[in-house]
Amino acid sequence: MKVWIDGKVMDASEAKIGVLDHGFLYGDGVFEGIRVYDGTVFRLKDHLDRLWRSAKALLIDIPLTPRAMTEALLETVAAHGAKNAYVRLVVSRGIGDLGLNPASCPKAAVIVIVGNISIYPPANYETGIPLITAASRRLGFGGFDPGIKSLNYLNNILAKMEAKQAGCQEALLLNEAGFISECTADNFFFAKDGVLMTPSADCGLLAGITRQTVLELAERRRIPVREGRFTRLDAWTADECFMTGTGAEIMPITSIDGRAMAACPGELTRLLLADFRAFAAAWKE
Ligand code: PMP
């Protein structure tokens, strides 16, 4: 695993950040997770756009241009050496005083981490994984916008812990009104009678780049799609469902709260996973 800090690339074991960095002290920062497929960075512009958007929302001034960030990323990918990799871009508020005042941090810190990725074993894509609904709700727009990809993931981590305690790898989070929002680090899709459905952004979620890719692939296949507000009952009685994310890609779901899907992986899940892999492999930017 290689890390870029302040223009230097080093082994992860040598990379250090200061204890007064507000990213560490307060989760005050933003990040992106990006895949490299066969030497090409997948949807880099979309990831950079989202990183800058998240930073703007938090009034963090990223001290690199998108071009310089891309160069740092490519240099770190090259040092890592593998054709397939996972990139983490982290921008924290930087070093400041012990108090949480962001104005005490004169310069944001940028870190690029490149490593291998193996979130789920290949067998999971054949068999799927079960979900439970977490009791912890996805915090909505009343706190800060869930569309900001910030360094504060405690809401999601609490739900992940509930999943683990229930013997599952993943959890579905509802928003405060009881509608499905997303999984802990992935978006949620289900299908019923040939219609693909996913919670709309107003349900309070991070609109993933994989989600967007799946919506585009579904459109190419002329699969009818509905973005909207859905309940657990909709998901429990679906024909099939899956979750999407940069790390997981498209992961089939076997059951939700013990209610088995009619098929896993279902027909649309298989089709979209194959399309996604072909699309990612052919990606050129
Ligand atoms: N929701 C959350 C909360 C996430 O952290 C992520 C990213 N891991 C996603 C959804 C999926 O986004 P993407 O497809 O851009 O990776």
Side-chain angles (χ1 to χ4, degrees):
M1 196 182 283
K2 296 288 179 191
V3 178
W4 182 103
I5 303 182
D6 280 339
K8 290 192 201 70
V9 178
M10 59 197 86
D11 275 328
S13 57
E14 294 160 27
K16 304 272 185 291
I17 58 150
V19 293
L20 291 178
D21 190 301
H22 281 208
F24 172 66
L25 286 176
Y26 300 114
D28 187 356
V30 294
F31 78 100
E32 277 300 316
I34 310 172
R35 289 288 277 264
V36 180
Y37 291 109
D38 198 24
T40 302
V41 187
F42 185 57
R43 302 202 88 145
L44 177 60
K45 185 179 180 311
D46 294 326
H47 284 285
L48 292 179
D49 284 351
R50 190 169 66 184
L51 184 71
W52 257 263
R53 194 163 162 251
S54 296
K56 182 169 185 180
L58 300 183
L59 288 173
I60 292 177
D61 193 9
I62 301 179
L64 292 181
T65 60
R67 197 191 175 93
M69 181 74 86
T70 303
E71 278 162 17
L73 183 159
L74 294 176
E75 190 188 342
T76 320
V77 169
H80 177 62
K83 286 268 175 209
N84 293 292
Y86 177 82
V87 179
R88 176 62 60 92
L89 302 180
V90 184
V91 181
S92 83
R93 183 79 60 187
I95 302 276
D97 293 340
L98 209 42
L100 58 77
N101 179 11
S104 76
C105 309
K107 192 174 172 210
V110 176
I111 299 169
V112 182
I113 306 171
V114 179
N116 297 331
I117 186 155
S118 59
I119 298 185
Y120 294 101
N124 281 167
Y125 293 87
E126 293 299 320
T127 56
I129 60 165
L131 292 184
I132 53 123
T133 309
S136 314
R137 296 294 174 99
R138 183 76 165 105
L139 298 178
F141 301 98
F144 65 95
D145 195 311
I148 302 171
K149 197 163 166 58
S150 84
L151 291 181
N152 193 321
Y153 259 58
L154 281 178
N155 189 192
N156 314 53
I157 289 166
L158 286 172
K160 184 88 174 176
M161 284 161 57
E162 288 186 49
K164 294 278 176 192
Q165 281 162 1
C168 289
Q169 281 153 292
E170 255 306 320
L172 195 57
L173 286 103
L174 308 178
N175 64 20
E176 281 151 316
F179 295 107
I180 297 171
S181 62
E182 59 180 336
C183 298
T184 68
D186 296 284
N187 293 115
F188 179 76
F189 283 80
F190 67 99
K192 183 82 184 167
D193 299 330
V195 180
L196 187 65
M197 289 174 261
T198 193
S200 47
D202 64 357
C203 292
L205 48 87
L206 182 81
I209 289 162
T210 320
R211 175 185 182 275
Q212 183 56 34
T213 305
V214 166
L215 292 174
E216 289 167 16
L217 293 172
E219 197 182 329
R220 283 189 192 186
R221 288 262 178 205
R222 300 192 190 289
I223 298 167
V225 175
R226 232 187 92 206
E227 290 181 61
R229 294 179 179 190
F230 303 104
T231 63
R232 285 206 297 177
L233 178 60
D234 297 319
W236 287 341
T237 54
D239 294 331
E240 57 182 292
C241 68
F242 58 86
M243 57 181 209
T244 64
T246 293
E249 299 177 317
I250 296 178
M251 174 56 68
I253 305 298
T254 51
S255 65
I256 303 172
D257 303 319
R259 280 78 167 178
M261 292 297 114
C264 181
E267 207 181 313
L268 288 183
T269 309
R270 278 184 196 281
L271 192 64
L272 289 165
L273 177 56
D275 280 2
F276 180 84
R277 291 204 166 139
F279 185 76
W283 183 262
K284 293 277 164 278
E285 201 151 40

